[in-house]
Amino acid sequence: MPNAYISGTGFYVPPRVVTNDDLIAMGVDTTSEWIVQRTGIEARRYADEGVGTSDLAVPAARDALERAGLTARDLDLIVFATLSPDMAFPGSGVLLQQKLGLCEGPEPKFVGALDVRNQCSGFLYGLHVATGLVKSGSARHVLVVGAETHSAAIDISTRGRTVSSLFGDGAGAVVVSATDEDRGVRGTWLGADGRYAEMLCQKVWDIRKRPFIPVDANGVGQVEASHMYAQMDGRTVFKHAVEKMCMALMQACWATSTDPKEVDLFFFHQANMRINQYVAKQLSLPDDKVVHNIQRYGNTTAATIPILLAEAEREGRLKRGMRVAMVAFGSGFTWGSAMVDW
């Protein structure tokens, strides 16, 4: 049975930088100090109008493929994790497949494309799927993408400031490949607790309603702000994020007989700097082993961990032979962890 390892990483963030002061200029009644104190976020990136989630994923995917020494036609499957797909359906995976050129030319390759809807935990759920397929021999190269375009669907106003200040746009990607070497993904562990599904949710597509979007006499859809935009019970999310991230990290260590001191780098989902600092403190993790970039990008949901991996590798911080741990928590509630020998 082959091992599954991450053969290439890539990322892309749109060029437009939106600082906390920029949000204030856009009409949000807050201060930069308030946002930084509670979240650690100083700026985020916003995509331009006309740019969709799959568009952000294209350069991230090409970056990962190039660093893996592969082309898109070497892929056996695309796994696309996002909570902000280009449209309600079809999924963004098929759009990425087409934009990578797989459907064109004299020898098109119509690889499967799977969308994963696990929000902030989406990348680790995708990594779980890719690793299982590669280890089973069902695939040799799987592209796992996390990408988000939050800026089109957040309430940039004083009413929505507790949520809108958190999120940014971006994409990260990895290629999971087969190898006979003793390295790679040692394990992935997932969890969910649907009792808290509405503690962090966006109900705009509430299919239980008839019609699911109310319409006026002219057939024009009208959606209440409480359903159009994400809603969050921040205290409940913080409490469960700390608890579940600690639990998931320890599960990965126990299952692989790894002392946390043996882990070279920790890659936490970038939702809130205060959550991550609290988790690190609870587990006595050294500051220099916990990687952060939330200051620059905010919460890019499914994209945070693959962006972290790609940046750390580019900077020379993440190197071959390191043992790294990943952990995420998000809406659902869902969570996951992974242990990887790089």
Side-chain angles (χ1 to χ4, degrees), residues 137-148:
S138 297
R140 284 197 60 80
H141 303 291
V142 179
L143 176 66
V144 183
V145 176
E148 305 290 358

Side-chain angles (χ1 to χ4, degrees), residues 142 207 213 257 280 320:
V142 179
I207 210 70
I213 293 181
S257 300
R320 171 75 182 270

Side-chain angles (χ1 to χ4, degrees), residues 10 15 24 32 84 86 94 228 251 256 260 273-274 278 329 342:
I24 296 167
S32 182
S84 52
D86 297 70
V94 296
M228 181 178 295
Q251 184 178 18
T256 56
M273 180 73 85
R274 308 308 163 219
Y278 198 86
F329 173 88
W342 203 257

Side-chain angles (χ1 to χ4, degrees), residues 29-296:
D29 183 11
T30 187
T31 66
S32 182
E33 292 76 16
W34 189 92
I35 296 172
V36 171
Q37 181 182 7
R38 288 161 177 78
T39 69
I41 299 168
E42 300 171 7
R44 70 285 294 149
R45 301 296 182 96
Y46 281 180
D48 292 332
E49 184 173 354
V51 176
T53 302
S54 63
D55 295 316
L56 297 181
V58 171
R62 287 177 174 159
D63 189 13
L65 286 165
E66 180 180 354
R67 291 178 180 274
L70 302 170
T71 70
R73 280 177 165 73
D74 293 310
L75 295 173
D76 300 304
L77 181 69
I78 295 169
V79 180
F80 200 122
T82 185
L83 68 73
S84 52
D86 297 70
M87 58 189 80
F89 68 87
S92 292
V94 296
L95 303 181
L96 177 59
Q97 178 215 50
Q98 190 273 330
K99 290 173 182 178
L100 288 175
L102 284 164
C103 304
E104 312 299 332
E107 296 182 4
K109 186 175 183 181
F110 301 108
V111 302
L114 168 70
D115 276 46
V116 172
R117 292 291 305 278
N118 286 89
Q119 295 64 253
C120 297
S121 305
F123 173 74
L124 289 180
Y125 270 73
L127 183 65
H128 179 83
V129 171
T131 299
L133 290 171
V134 170
K135 285 187 173 182
S136 72
S138 297
R140 284 197 60 80
H141 303 291
V142 179
L143 176 66
V144 183
V145 176
E148 305 290 358
T149 310
H150 287 301
S151 59
I154 53 177
D155 187 1
I156 305 176
S157 71
T158 300
R159 175 185 56 199
R161 62 186 172 184
T162 57
V163 174
S164 61
S165 61
L166 299 174
F167 294 101
D169 303 342
V174 303
V175 179
V176 180
S177 299
T179 181
D180 293 326
E181 298 180 56
D182 184 20
R183 61 183 294 207
V185 182
R186 299 307 188 186
T188 51
W189 298 268
L190 308 176
D193 188 345
R195 294 176 297 175
Y196 299 95
E198 296 191 11
M199 294 296 101
L200 177 52
C201 65
Q202 186 174 5
K203 295 182 178 180
V204 65
W205 303 114
D206 191 344
I207 210 70
R208 296 169 296 183
K209 294 186 175 182
R210 303 293 188 276
F212 75 105
I213 293 181
V215 297
D216 63 15
N218 296 317
V220 178
Q222 297 179 321
V223 183
E224 297 177 15
S226 62
H227 283 195
M228 181 178 295
Y229 300 117
Q231 305 295 316
M232 177 176 66
D233 181 335
R235 291 182 182 272
T236 300
V237 171
F238 192 104
K239 174 181 179 292
H240 283 268
V242 170
E243 176 184 308
K244 298 304 189 298
M245 287 173 70
C246 287
M247 180 192 72
L249 265 179
M250 293 314 300
Q251 184 178 18
C253 290
W254 292 330
T256 56
S257 300
T258 300
D259 187 316
K261 295 178 181 178
E262 298 172 342
V263 177
D264 296 295
L265 290 174
F266 293 89
F267 293 88
F268 291 3
H269 164 58
Q270 303 291 288
N272 186 310
M273 180 73 85
R274 308 308 163 219
I275 291 175
N276 291 354
Q277 289 173 333
Y278 198 86
V279 171
K281 182 179 179 180
Q282 290 293 102
L283 299 178
S284 300
L285 306 180
D287 291 342
D288 62 350
K289 286 190 174 185
V290 182
V291 185
H292 302 287
N293 64 12
I294 192 171
Q295 307 95 313
R296 302 189 304 278

